[in-house]
Amino acid sequence: MSKINYLLVKVRENTTPIQLIVISYFLMIVLAFFLLCLPFFRREGASVSPLDTFFMAVSTVSVTGLSTFPLHEVYNNYGVILLEVLFQIGGLGITMLATVGLVLARKRITLHQRQLIQIDMNQPRLSGTVRLAYSVFGLMMVLQLLFGLLFSLYLYFAQGYHQLSKAFFEGFYISISAVTNAGFDITGTSIMPFRHDYLFLMTIIFLIAIGGIGFPVLTELREWAGIKLRRQDKRQFRFSLFVKLAVFFAVLFFVIGTVLILFSESKGAFAHRSLMDKLMTAMFYSASTRNAGLQLDSLNAFNSTTLLIFSLLMFIGASPSSVGGGVRTTTIGILILYMYSFIRGKRNVNVFGRQIGQDDIQKAVVVVNLSLLLCGTAVLILSATEKQPLTALILEVASAFGTTGLSLGITGSLSIVGKWVIIILMFIGRVGMLYMLMLFVSKRKKDLSYRFPTEKVIIG
């Protein structure tokens, strides 16, 4: 035991917090792989290859939703429960769940553990990270339980489910799947049977937004609501710049996505539908493509333009510090603000009475460019290894990187190389491009204390 402790100490001393987090996610994938291989979680006679099982393990921990086989034909009820547990681990984050466990066990949380929480939840400062993790976990559990109960009762009384146990099983799965933005289909029809139940769809959109808006946003909204409810509290509350940007761009991309989908399918899949049905379908896919992966229709019903719009929305993804993946909304938002300021001849990027730091702008530019390069390279490789339409490959790549799970049905027919490309994209999409870059930065690496002379270079 002393040797193991010694090795653990040496690993911690020679690895950065980001490297430890990436390693922990990889180990979680390995554990998920071994669990999914157990016959206990499978239907009798169901057989899946080791590569497809590993693909499934990565997809669950990254909360993507892509699968190379029909889930309802392979996993039994215990397997579905295992998937729900993996959704929680992948969506909420390993360090958040570990923090909650330590708090409940009344264990002391060390400075190093707080640093891991700070990194995994993408927080700018160390203070308040434990409280953030604990409060977000509590809120997410309450939402899943509350809406799981409501969905279960709805399925039993309004949808004609004859068995209460089946209604509760599927109701809680829908709730967990929506909140954690996991697009796995355990019935073979996703939520297509509810496509004309607009109240149900609006509830799903709300839960998708809750999961993808970002944990710090939920925490600050809760604090703001608490101050408003306690009228005797005269403290001034100010939302952080991150929360303002996250909410603004989440709403902006949702509205833009809805409008683009409406116009793209106005003479296509939406041609003979009512205005309400057109609007609700466009709104649903504008929300679902940015991480949830739930479907109302077969994607083959949409034209190529709409599928490319879906791919763009999946590439953008959700907000940082959320259950979603992709390049993240604030990253694209900062890049847009930077380009707008540059066109207007301004040196600084100012928004909401604050100035965005040059480091954040630099990170946004690097992350977007490298993400485009990564996805472009993946499409290039798949176009050489797979006999599929280019639009289907672009959608598959964007879905994997955005951890969304939408597909034109080509996932199961991918070659071995194609499956590994998607596996890598899903993992990077969950961890984040910025952290994958910082993964290779040594702990002992120090910045140079001197600068070289500056020289102008011709651009454009």
Side-chain angles (χ1 to χ4, degrees):
M1 184 63 69
S2 60
K3 291 184 177 180
I4 295 176
N5 291 333
Y6 174 77
L7 288 175
L8 291 175
V9 171
K10 294 298 292 183
V11 168
R12 192 176 71 176
E13 287 178 351
N14 293 280
T15 54
T16 64
I18 290 177
Q19 291 170 339
L20 287 175
I21 289 171
V22 174
I23 291 171
S24 66
Y25 277 104
F26 178 76
L27 293 177
M28 189 64 235
I29 288 171
V30 173
L31 176 60
F33 168 73
F34 284 113
L35 290 175
L36 292 172
C37 285
L38 297 177
F40 177 76
F41 298 109
R42 297 183 180 180
R43 295 185 182 276
E44 188 175 353
S47 177
V48 181
S49 69
L51 176 58
D52 288 336
T53 303
F54 186 77
F55 187 103
M56 187 65 186
V58 177
S59 189
T60 51
V61 174
S62 64
V63 203
T64 300
L66 290 175
S67 176
T68 57
F69 52 85
L71 301 187
H72 60 281
E73 296 179 4
V74 174
Y75 297 114
N76 56 26
N77 289 346
Y78 295 110
V80 173
I81 293 173
L82 173 62
L83 294 181
E84 292 174 334
V85 173
L86 294 175
F87 297 164
Q88 305 286 5
I89 296 173
L92 300 182
I94 295 175
T95 57
M96 179 191 291
L97 297 177
T99 302
V100 172
L102 290 172
V103 171
L104 293 177
R106 297 183 178 181
K107 298 290 185 180
R108 179 176 171 270
I109 300 177
T110 65
L111 178 62
H112 184 261
Q113 291 167 338
R114 292 174 188 269
Q115 290 176 331
L116 292 177
I117 301 168
Q118 178 193 8
I119 295 296
D120 194 24
M121 298 191 70
N122 202 11
Q123 292 301 293
R125 59 184 62 88
L126 193 62
S127 61
T129 52
V130 174
R131 182 172 57 87
L132 173 64
Y134 193 73
S135 60
V136 168
F137 175 82
L139 178 61
M140 300 296 270
M141 290 299 106
V142 168
L143 285 173
Q144 292 180 37
L145 290 173
L146 174 61
F147 284 94
L149 179 61
L150 291 176
F151 288 150
S152 301
L153 297 177
Y154 168 77
L155 294 177
Y156 184 72
F157 290 105
Q159 292 295 317
Y161 277 53
H162 299 295
Q163 294 181 341
L164 186 60
S165 58
K166 183 179 179 181
F168 269 83
F169 188 83
E170 291 195 15
F172 274 91
Y173 181 85
I174 293 173
S175 175
I176 293 171
S177 179
V179 173
T180 59
N181 285 196
F184 289 97
D185 179 15
I186 62 168
T187 63
T189 58
S190 190
I191 58 171
M192 295 178 187
F194 312 103
R195 64 158 295 105
H196 297 296
D197 191 332
Y198 301 141
L199 180 60
F200 178 86
L201 295 182
M202 287 299 296
T203 306
I204 294 294
I205 291 174
F206 168 75
L207 293 179
I208 292 173
I210 289 293
I213 196 64
F215 301 143
V217 177
L218 298 177
T219 302
E220 291 195 23
L221 285 174
R222 194 189 68 170
E223 293 177 0
W224 173 81
I227 291 175
K228 290 296 181 181
L229 290 174
R230 296 192 302 268
R231 297 182 179 179
Q232 70 277 11
D233 195 335
K234 301 299 182 181
R235 289 182 301 165
Q236 291 292 326
F237 183 85
R238 186 178 68 85
F239 287 107
S240 66
L241 180 59
F242 167 77
V243 169
K244 293 178 182 179
L245 289 174
V247 173
F248 175 79
F249 284 108
V251 174
L252 179 65
F253 293 140
F254 173 74
V255 172
I256 292 176
T258 301
V259 172
L260 290 177
I261 294 169
L262 273 174
F263 276 103
S264 177
E265 291 295 338
S266 60
K267 296 182 180 180
F270 296 170
H272 303 292
R273 298 183 183 182
S274 65
L275 178 61
M276 186 64 184
D277 190 52
K278 292 178 182 179
L279 180 61
M280 183 55 63
T281 305
M283 290 172 59
F284 183 87
Y285 277 108
S286 182
S288 184
T289 50
R290 292 216 352 269
N291 268 128
L294 298 173
Q295 293 180 234
L296 298 179
D297 316 85
S298 170
L299 294 190
N300 292 292
F302 297 108
N303 60 47
S304 298
T305 303
T306 304
L307 294 177
L308 291 177
I309 294 171
F310 287 173
S311 300
L312 177 61
L313 293 173
M314 288 189 289
F315 177 78
I316 294 172
S319 300
S321 301
S322 70
V323 299
V327 78
R328 308 302 200 273
T329 53
T330 52
T331 306
I332 296 292
I334 289 175
L335 184 61
I336 292 172
L337 292 172
Y338 172 66
M339 290 189 295
Y340 177 74
S341 298
F342 181 82
I343 292 172
R344 297 189 65 188
K346 295 183 177 180
R347 284 181 170 271
N348 301 320
V349 179
N350 302 318
V351 61
F352 296 122
R354 293 291 185 272
Q355 179 179 319
I356 298 177
Q358 291 298 318
D359 287 346
D360 292 331
I361 295 173
Q362 188 180 45
K363 289 177 184 177
V365 172
V366 171
V367 168
V368 172
N369 286 332
L370 285 179
S371 297
L372 286 170
L373 179 62
L374 174 69
C375 292
T377 303
V379 171
L380 185 64
I381 294 173
L382 293 180
S383 66
T385 61
E386 315 301 321
K387 296 180 179 179
Q388 299 290 347
L390 184 60
T391 303
L393 297 178
I394 293 173
L395 186 81
E396 195 81 7
V397 166
S399 179
F401 180 74
T403 65
T404 304
L406 293 177
S407 175
L408 286 171
I410 69 171
T411 311
S413 61
L414 292 175
S415 64
I416 294 177
V417 174
K419 289 177 182 178
W420 277 108
V421 168
I422 298 300
I423 285 172
I424 293 170
L425 287 172
M426 289 191 295
F427 185 76
I428 294 176
R430 174 60 187 91
V431 175
M433 177 58 75
L434 184 61
Y435 287 175
M436 288 303 298
L437 294 175
M438 298 175 69
L439 177 65
F440 302 101
V441 177
S442 172
K443 189 172 184 179
R444 304 180 187 278
K445 186 77 174 177
K446 294 184 179 180
D447 194 10
L448 298 175
S449 58
Y450 58 87
R451 296 181 181 180
F452 290 101
T454 301
E455 184 174 343
K456 291 289 185 179
V457 178
I458 299 174
I459 302 294

